[in-house]
Amino acid sequence: RRQKPSTPERKRDLAAHGGALSMSHNGTRSFFNFSQLVLSAGHLRSPPVLKHSKVTYFEVEILDVQSKKQICIVDKVPPSSTLLDVKHKFHKACPQWYPSRVGLQLERNGPYLKDSINIQSLAVSSIITLYFTDLGQQVSWTTFFLTEYTGPLLIYLLFYIRLSTIYDQVESTKNFRHPVVHLACFCHCLHYIRHLLETLFVHKFSGGHTPLKNMIKGCAFYWGFTSWIAYYINHPRYTPPSFGHRQVSFAALAFLV
């Protein structure tokens, strides 16, 4: 027979059982708090390993467009380089060809590549083959137009002052100059001064250089044409226009327009 405990013993047992439950509850709560702390801290990660990026360089093989013989190889060309950068390196290897004189083609019969082209856009593999053409002696476009327009300005003034080597000195002093001769000189000079100022301060040229032979052709035309008209307009025997003042006024107005 089981004997019922007395009241004091019963209270003591309940107190002991309640203490055990309290300790168990506190332990559970501590473990829960610790687990939350670990989760909030995140996973422990090892420090990242720095990886060195590998830059791919290109090799540019330059061949002669006629003989297909290799002239040189420009190595260690970064992908961000332009064709102008390749020309500068080519000039260091072959000093006799400066960059503006070098014409590079992707194919033998293809067009000349622009200096602004990125070298990576031409690459099919790490080796790029280009064909070289000697463009001859080059001049800048600014020099081209300044030379072409300065000549007519000076040449006309030489005829206007009637040099003794061009006209007869005695005949030049005797004959009176018609006012239209002075007007023609003013309009001619104004025309070419405007061209010179536009070349210096207005125009922007898409290409850097042009062959010297083009400048010679342009100068031959402008200088020769100026000499032809200046000789007759400033000649001592020059006669005014057939329709007189009306023709001069109409022509001057058309020129200003």
Side-chain angles (χ1 to χ4, degrees):
R1 291 182 63 183
R2 191 171 181 180
Q3 194 175 20
K4 294 182 179 180
S6 60
T7 302
E9 291 177 357
R10 190 175 180 182
K11 289 181 179 180
R12 193 166 48 249
D13 293 339
L14 288 173
H17 183 66
L21 288 175
S22 177
M23 289 179 61
S24 175
H25 180 69
N26 290 336
T28 304
R29 186 169 60 184
S30 299
F31 177 77
F32 176 77
N33 292 336
F34 178 75
S35 63
Q36 291 295 322
L37 179 64
V38 172
L39 290 175
S40 63
H43 299 289
L44 296 177
R45 297 178 181 178
S46 59
V49 179
L50 296 176
K51 295 182 179 180
H52 298 283
S53 60
K54 295 182 179 180
V55 180
T56 303
Y57 291 97
F58 295 102
E59 289 186 357
V60 180
E61 181 187 26
I62 299 179
L63 308 178
D64 185 77
V65 71
Q66 299 294 337
S67 62
K68 294 186 180 180
K69 291 182 179 179
Q70 185 185 94
I71 299 177
C72 74
I73 293 180
V74 181
D75 57 352
K76 292 184 178 180
V77 179
S80 59
S81 299
T82 61
L83 199 68
L84 183 61
D85 299 328
V86 175
K87 287 184 178 182
H88 282 292
K89 291 188 176 183
F90 177 64
H91 174 58
K92 290 182 180 180
C94 305
Q96 68 270 28
W97 292 307
Y98 50 91
S100 61
R101 189 168 181 164
V102 176
L104 295 177
Q105 301 162 274
L106 198 59
E107 300 175 356
R108 292 184 67 188
N109 298 324
Y112 293 113
L113 300 173
K114 293 183 179 180
D115 292 343
S116 58
I117 290 180
N118 190 284
I119 200 67
Q120 192 172 13
S121 63
L122 305 174
V124 179
S125 62
S126 59
I127 300 177
I128 303 171
T129 302
L130 297 176
Y131 294 94
F132 160 76
T133 302
D134 184 10
L135 299 178
Q137 193 169 357
Q138 304 285 304
V139 294
S140 66
W141 279 107
T142 303
T143 304
F144 176 90
F145 287 111
L146 289 179
T147 306
E148 196 174 63
Y149 297 144
T150 304
L153 183 64
L154 299 178
I155 290 172
Y156 195 96
L157 291 176
L158 293 177
F159 283 93
Y160 177 75
I161 62 177
R162 291 181 176 177
L163 293 177
S164 58
T165 56
I166 302 175
Y167 303 113
D168 181 69
Q169 192 67 25
V170 177
E171 194 174 26
S172 298
T173 54
K174 285 183 179 180
N175 293 350
F176 171 75
R177 292 196 189 194
H178 193 276
V180 74
V181 175
H182 303 293
L183 179 62
C185 180
F186 172 78
C187 292
H188 188 276
C189 293
L190 180 63
H191 176 71
Y192 282 100
I193 289 173
R194 180 181 67 89
H195 274 307
L196 291 172
L197 294 177
E198 286 177 348
T199 301
L200 292 173
F201 304 109
V202 178
H203 293 163
K204 294 182 179 180
F205 307 105
S206 58
H209 299 81
T210 184
L212 178 63
K213 60 182 181 181
N214 290 344
M215 188 179 76
I216 295 175
K217 292 178 182 178
C219 290
F221 170 76
Y222 277 91
W223 295 13
F225 186 74
T226 299
S227 301
W228 180 52
I229 63 173
Y231 175 80
Y232 290 106
I233 294 176
N234 297 286
H235 199 281
R237 298 182 183 179
Y238 172 80
T239 55
S242 303
F243 296 98
H245 181 72
R246 182 177 299 179
Q247 180 178 347
V248 173
S249 301
F250 177 78
L253 180 62
F255 169 79
L256 292 176
V257 170

